mmCIF file of all heavy atoms in Angstrom:
data_model
loop_
_atom_site.group_PDB
_atom_site.id
_atom_site.type_symbol
_atom_site.label_atom_id
_atom_site.label_comp_id
_atom_site.label_asym_id
_atom_site.label_seq_id
_atom_site.Cartn_x
_atom_site.Cartn_y
_atom_site.Cartn_z
ATOM 1 N N VAL A 420 21.089 -8.392 -64.738
ATOM 2 C CA VAL A 420 20.039 -8.278 -63.725
ATOM 3 C C VAL A 420 18.805 -7.664 -64.384
ATOM 4 O O VAL A 420 18.918 -6.768 -65.211
ATOM 5 C CB VAL A 420 20.472 -7.393 -62.530
ATOM 6 C CG1 VAL A 420 19.471 -7.522 -61.383
ATOM 7 C CG2 VAL A 420 21.879 -7.733 -62.061
ATOM 8 N N VAL A 421 17.637 -8.162 -63.997
ATOM 9 C CA VAL A 421 16.369 -7.627 -64.494
ATOM 10 C C VAL A 421 15.556 -7.123 -63.305
ATOM 11 O O VAL A 421 15.531 -7.747 -62.240
ATOM 12 C CB VAL A 421 15.549 -8.702 -65.248
ATOM 13 C CG1 VAL A 421 14.099 -8.246 -65.473
ATOM 14 C CG2 VAL A 421 16.199 -9.026 -66.586
ATOM 15 N N ALA A 422 14.904 -5.969 -63.496
ATOM 16 C CA ALA A 422 13.942 -5.461 -62.522
ATOM 17 C C ALA A 422 12.611 -5.251 -63.229
ATOM 18 O O ALA A 422 12.541 -4.525 -64.219
ATOM 19 C CB ALA A 422 14.419 -4.144 -61.909
ATOM 20 N N THR A 423 11.571 -5.908 -62.731
ATOM 21 C CA THR A 423 10.235 -5.727 -63.294
ATOM 22 C C THR A 423 9.222 -6.174 -62.250
ATOM 23 O O THR A 423 9.578 -6.464 -61.112
ATOM 24 C CB THR A 423 10.061 -6.485 -64.616
ATOM 25 O OG1 THR A 423 8.815 -6.101 -65.225
ATOM 26 C CG2 THR A 423 10.076 -7.990 -64.409
ATOM 27 N N THR A 424 7.961 -6.193 -62.647
ATOM 28 C CA THR A 424 6.899 -6.579 -61.715
ATOM 29 C C THR A 424 6.225 -7.860 -62.170
ATOM 30 O O THR A 424 6.212 -8.190 -63.357
ATOM 31 C CB THR A 424 5.840 -5.469 -61.601
ATOM 32 O OG1 THR A 424 5.332 -5.173 -62.907
ATOM 33 C CG2 THR A 424 6.423 -4.222 -60.984
ATOM 34 N N GLN A 425 5.633 -8.559 -61.214
ATOM 35 C CA GLN A 425 4.890 -9.782 -61.492
ATOM 36 C C GLN A 425 3.965 -10.048 -60.312
ATOM 37 O O GLN A 425 4.147 -9.490 -59.218
ATOM 38 C CB GLN A 425 5.850 -10.958 -61.727
ATOM 39 C CG GLN A 425 5.289 -12.044 -62.629
ATOM 40 C CD GLN A 425 6.392 -12.984 -63.114
ATOM 41 O OE1 GLN A 425 7.473 -13.075 -62.547
ATOM 42 N NE2 GLN A 425 6.117 -13.706 -64.181
ATOM 43 N N ASN A 426 2.960 -10.893 -60.532
ATOM 44 C CA ASN A 426 1.980 -11.142 -59.480
ATOM 45 C C ASN A 426 1.385 -12.533 -59.630
ATOM 46 O O ASN A 426 0.534 -12.768 -60.493
ATOM 47 C CB ASN A 426 0.867 -10.090 -59.541
ATOM 48 C CG ASN A 426 0.000 -10.080 -58.295
ATOM 49 O OD1 ASN A 426 -0.111 -11.073 -57.581
ATOM 50 N ND2 ASN A 426 -0.641 -8.964 -58.027
ATOM 51 N N ALA A 427 1.822 -13.455 -58.789
ATOM 52 C CA ALA A 427 1.297 -14.820 -58.835
ATOM 53 C C ALA A 427 -0.080 -14.939 -58.202
ATOM 54 O O ALA A 427 -0.760 -15.953 -58.369
ATOM 55 C CB ALA A 427 2.262 -15.771 -58.127
ATOM 56 N N GLU A 428 -0.508 -13.908 -57.462
ATOM 57 C CA GLU A 428 -1.753 -14.016 -56.715
ATOM 58 C C GLU A 428 -2.987 -14.034 -57.612
ATOM 59 O O GLU A 428 -4.094 -14.279 -57.143
ATOM 60 C CB GLU A 428 -1.858 -12.893 -55.690
ATOM 61 C CG GLU A 428 -2.852 -13.196 -54.579
ATOM 62 C CD GLU A 428 -2.772 -12.221 -53.425
ATOM 63 O OE1 GLU A 428 -1.661 -11.847 -53.045
ATOM 64 O OE2 GLU A 428 -3.831 -11.842 -52.913
ATOM 65 N N GLN A 429 -2.823 -13.769 -58.900
ATOM 66 C CA GLN A 429 -3.927 -13.968 -59.826
ATOM 67 C C GLN A 429 -4.427 -15.411 -59.758
ATOM 68 O O GLN A 429 -5.607 -15.682 -59.988
ATOM 69 C CB GLN A 429 -3.483 -13.670 -61.262
ATOM 70 C CG GLN A 429 -3.107 -12.222 -61.511
ATOM 71 C CD GLN A 429 -2.642 -12.014 -62.941
ATOM 72 O OE1 GLN A 429 -3.359 -11.500 -63.770
ATOM 73 N NE2 GLN A 429 -1.419 -12.429 -63.238
ATOM 74 N N PHE A 430 -3.528 -16.343 -59.452
ATOM 75 C CA PHE A 430 -3.872 -17.760 -59.457
ATOM 76 C C PHE A 430 -4.288 -18.277 -58.086
ATOM 77 O O PHE A 430 -5.039 -19.249 -58.001
ATOM 78 C CB PHE A 430 -2.674 -18.570 -59.963
ATOM 79 C CG PHE A 430 -2.292 -18.240 -61.371
ATOM 80 C CD1 PHE A 430 -1.326 -17.284 -61.640
ATOM 81 C CD2 PHE A 430 -2.910 -18.864 -62.442
ATOM 82 C CE1 PHE A 430 -0.982 -16.958 -62.929
ATOM 83 C CE2 PHE A 430 -2.571 -18.548 -63.742
ATOM 84 C CZ PHE A 430 -1.604 -17.588 -63.995
ATOM 85 N N GLY A 431 -3.815 -17.674 -57.019
ATOM 86 C CA GLY A 431 -4.145 -18.148 -55.691
ATOM 87 C C GLY A 431 -3.292 -17.460 -54.651
ATOM 88 O O GLY A 431 -2.393 -16.683 -54.975
ATOM 89 N N ASN A 432 -3.564 -17.766 -53.383
ATOM 90 C CA ASN A 432 -2.832 -17.062 -52.324
ATOM 91 C C ASN A 432 -2.191 -17.990 -51.304
ATOM 92 O O ASN A 432 -1.732 -17.526 -50.269
ATOM 93 C CB ASN A 432 -3.757 -16.072 -51.617
ATOM 94 C CG ASN A 432 -4.936 -16.752 -50.919
ATOM 95 O OD1 ASN A 432 -5.094 -17.971 -50.994
ATOM 96 N ND2 ASN A 432 -5.756 -15.973 -50.238
ATOM 97 N N ASP A 433 -2.140 -19.302 -51.577
ATOM 98 C CA ASP A 433 -1.471 -20.173 -50.610
ATOM 99 C C ASP A 433 0.035 -20.153 -50.856
ATOM 100 O O ASP A 433 0.496 -19.924 -51.982
ATOM 101 C CB ASP A 433 -2.031 -21.595 -50.677
ATOM 102 C CG ASP A 433 -1.739 -22.291 -52.003
ATOM 103 O OD1 ASP A 433 -0.611 -22.768 -52.193
ATOM 104 O OD2 ASP A 433 -2.662 -22.355 -52.854
ATOM 105 N N PRO A 434 0.841 -20.367 -49.819
ATOM 106 C CA PRO A 434 2.298 -20.238 -49.950
ATOM 107 C C PRO A 434 2.895 -21.160 -51.011
ATOM 108 O O PRO A 434 3.837 -20.766 -51.713
ATOM 109 C CB PRO A 434 2.814 -20.597 -48.550
ATOM 110 C CG PRO A 434 1.677 -20.299 -47.628
ATOM 111 C CD PRO A 434 0.439 -20.631 -48.417
ATOM 112 N N ASP A 435 2.374 -22.355 -51.131
ATOM 113 C CA ASP A 435 2.910 -23.299 -52.104
ATOM 114 C C ASP A 435 2.796 -22.736 -53.513
ATOM 115 O O ASP A 435 3.759 -22.751 -54.292
ATOM 116 C CB ASP A 435 2.159 -24.632 -51.988
ATOM 117 C CG ASP A 435 2.653 -25.669 -52.969
ATOM 118 O OD1 ASP A 435 3.676 -26.314 -52.676
ATOM 119 O OD2 ASP A 435 2.015 -25.847 -54.028
ATOM 120 N N LEU A 436 1.636 -22.224 -53.863
ATOM 121 C CA LEU A 436 1.421 -21.684 -55.198
ATOM 122 C C LEU A 436 2.276 -20.450 -55.449
ATOM 123 O O LEU A 436 2.873 -20.295 -56.529
ATOM 124 C CB LEU A 436 -0.055 -21.348 -55.393
ATOM 125 C CG LEU A 436 -0.480 -20.807 -56.758
ATOM 126 C CD1 LEU A 436 -1.905 -21.247 -57.094
ATOM 127 C CD2 LEU A 436 -0.399 -19.289 -56.835
ATOM 128 N N LEU A 437 2.354 -19.557 -54.466
ATOM 129 C CA LEU A 437 3.077 -18.303 -54.649
ATOM 130 C C LEU A 437 4.557 -18.526 -54.923
ATOM 131 O O LEU A 437 5.189 -17.734 -55.618
ATOM 132 C CB LEU A 437 2.893 -17.414 -53.416
ATOM 133 C CG LEU A 437 1.466 -16.919 -53.158
ATOM 134 C CD1 LEU A 437 1.396 -16.151 -51.848
ATOM 135 C CD2 LEU A 437 0.960 -16.063 -54.309
#
Side-chain angles (χ1 to χ4, degrees):
V420 191
V421 166
T423 189
T424 56
Q425 208 165 20
N426 194 335
E428 200 169 319
Q429 295 178 103
F430 298 93
N432 62 358
D433 66 79
D435 180 82
L436 182 148
L437 295 175

